[in-house]
Amino acid sequence: MADATRSTLYRPLTSRSPDEPHRAATPLELFFDLCFVVAVAQAANELHHAIAENHLGQGVLGFLLVFFAIWWAWVNFSWFASAYDNDDVAYRLTTLVQIAGALILAAGVPRAFEHGDWKLITLGYVVMRLAMVTQWLRVRRDDPPRRATATRFAVGILLVQIGWVLRLLLPPQWGLISFFVLVVCEMLVPLWAEHGTPTRWHPHHIAERYSLFTLIVLGESVLAATVAIESASGTGHTTALVWLAAAGLVIVFAMWWLYFDRSAHDLLTSFKRAFQWGYGHYFILASAAAVGAGLAVVADYDTHTAHVPGVVAAYAVAVPVAVYLVSLWLLQICPHHRGLVVYAFPATIVLVLLAPFTPAPIQVIAVLMAALVAVVVLAGGPRSVDLPGRRA
């Protein structure tokens, strides 16, 4: 009994097997994901209001920057957990510290959007990064074959985080340039650290983790649109809002269907392809979140509370839908499909981008998305779906 207790309190943080059967997301990982719901909702809400108030450039740029901060924090934890989750007390406590940092990040989203004040988001990152460096130092001690890899991760994460803190001291005109420089440094750290003896992440587990986060973001899109339509109800525009709600649901349902048509784990056959697939998901996830904000903008337009023309409001939905389709096409459709399906995506993307010039743009986009799903179902051949929590 004493030995069992000690093993629960502390286990060496050594690499898990990438061939481990029935590997699925843990309750702690699911809890981590749910805490990111707050941050995603904050970012989508700020984008909605920025576009509705005709602050397009500021709103879109702010959303892309803030969403990167949200997404990258999630990516750092998820890939580490895929290789090293030993579920001892120390690991759990360190992860809970990261969750606290994520909530601080979420609290800082409105400030970053409205005033360009990144102090609170940076503080959240400091909390998360101290916990992540602690985890990598544990790996350095407990996993000798990957000691150099863990050292590079710890040093790289720490140095870049120091860069983010120092960025707060720069004059405002250097803010955007320094942000993009540090983003590049962030994305180079894993590529540098994994050189040599790489970590042993689990392909099924990684595919499931991204699937779960995609579900969360799609759910946020539904929630954002629902809240906007609910707040606009009773304004004498019931018919328009009902049609918007129906079209919005079809669009989000189609996005879900297209993403989950096939499992992506068989695409993660090398580090190069895994990094491309993982990094490319920024565009899938950001665009999925933006669709909800766009639907909320259209609800404002239909109730005459938005300060943008109808075409701009429609493009608030059409552009993120098109980006979602382009990203999905490149990352998951082309590697899985041949023939009609591969050509149907570009055709749909073009038509989606033309839809804002039609009398009922959101309904047209919904019809186009439903038609694309039909093409995928009828011409895509047998599917190999790996739903979260299930293994083929």
Side-chain angles (χ1 to χ4, degrees):
M1 180 67 69
D3 290 341
T5 302
R6 280 198 297 271
S7 67
T8 302
L9 292 174
Y10 175 80
R11 298 188 184 98
L13 199 57
T14 54
S15 180
R16 297 183 65 161
S17 171
D19 300 317
E20 183 180 339
H22 310 298
R23 179 75 187 276
T26 66
L28 185 59
E29 288 176 312
L30 297 177
F31 187 38
F32 186 89
D33 289 356
L34 287 175
C35 290
F36 271 80
V37 169
V38 180
V40 173
Q42 291 271 42
N45 184 60
E46 294 293 334
L47 177 63
H48 158 213
H49 290 298
I51 296 176
E53 294 167 9
N54 204 20
H55 300 148
L56 297 179
Q58 177 186 348
V60 172
L61 180 61
F63 174 78
L64 293 175
L65 300 184
V66 167
F67 196 88
F68 176 84
I70 297 168
W71 169 76
W72 190 247
W74 180 87
V75 165
N76 278 215
F77 167 78
S78 297
W79 285 82
F80 178 88
S82 186
Y84 286 107
D85 181 2
N86 69 352
D87 200 35
D88 66 2
V89 171
Y91 180 89
R92 288 187 173 192
L93 291 175
T94 308
T95 301
L96 292 176
V97 171
Q98 289 177 270
I99 290 174
L103 294 176
I104 295 172
L105 182 157
V109 167
R111 293 188 188 182
F113 249 98
E114 296 169 12
H115 309 294
D117 182 357
W118 287 78
K119 294 184 183 68
L120 205 53
I121 287 182
T122 303
L123 175 61
Y125 254 81
V126 168
V127 173
M128 289 186 289
R129 284 312 182 49
L130 289 176
M132 183 57 70
V133 168
T134 300
Q135 297 281 51
W136 281 114
L137 291 178
R138 286 189 66 191
V139 173
R140 184 181 185 278
R141 179 187 59 194
D142 296 338
D143 193 9
R146 275 157 284 277
R147 182 164 293 157
T149 301
T151 301
R152 287 193 290 268
F153 264 114
V155 171
I157 290 171
L158 184 60
L159 289 177
V160 177
Q161 187 56 50
I162 291 172
W164 286 111
V165 174
L166 294 177
R167 176 180 175 272
L168 299 176
L169 306 177
L170 294 176
Q173 60 266 30
W174 288 95
L176 190 59
I177 295 174
S178 60
F179 187 95
F180 285 115
V181 169
L182 288 168
V183 163
V184 172
C185 293
E186 288 279 7
M187 300 182 76
L188 288 177
V189 167
L191 298 175
W192 169 60
E194 295 280 2
H195 182 72
T197 305
T199 55
R200 305 174 72 202
W201 42 268
H202 195 290
H204 267 289
H205 180 249
I206 285 294
E208 181 186 47
R209 297 293 292 118
Y210 275 82
S211 297
L212 290 169
F213 198 50
T214 302
L215 284 174
I216 286 176
V217 175
L218 289 174
E220 281 303 314
S221 286
V222 174
L223 177 62
T226 301
V227 170
I229 292 171
E230 179 184 0
S231 63
S233 62
T235 59
H237 303 279
T238 303
T239 302
L241 293 176
V242 168
W243 279 107
L244 174 62
L249 281 178
V250 171
I251 291 170
V252 176
F253 289 169
M255 292 167 69
W256 172 87
W257 194 301
L258 295 170
Y259 184 92
F260 288 96
D261 181 64
R262 289 172 182 258
S263 173
H265 72 273
D266 57 343
L267 301 177
L268 309 181
T269 55
S270 67
F271 276 94
K272 180 180 179 180
R273 295 195 67 178
F275 277 121
Q276 291 172 344
W277 182 86
Y279 283 2
H281 262 71
Y282 167 77
F283 300 99
I284 288 179
L285 295 166
S287 59
V291 167
L295 291 171
V297 171
V298 176
D300 288 347
Y301 176 79
D302 286 344
T303 55
H304 308 299
T305 57
H307 302 288
V308 292
V311 172
V312 174
Y315 267 117
V317 176
V319 170
V321 168
V323 172
Y324 182 89
L325 292 177
V326 169
S327 306
L328 192 61
W329 181 64
L330 292 173
L331 294 177
Q332 296 190 181
I333 301 302
C334 289
H336 269 146
H337 292 272
R338 295 293 182 270
L340 179 60
V341 172
V342 174
Y343 299 109
F345 267 76
T348 303
I349 292 163
V350 171
L351 294 174
V352 165
L353 291 175
L354 293 175
F357 298 103
T358 64
I362 309 306
Q363 288 73 26
V364 170
I365 293 172
V367 171
L368 291 171
M369 293 292 284
L372 183 59
V373 169
V375 170
V376 170
V377 170
L378 296 174
R383 292 178 295 137
S384 177
V385 180
D386 188 18
L387 297 174
R390 177 179 129 187
R391 291 287 173 264

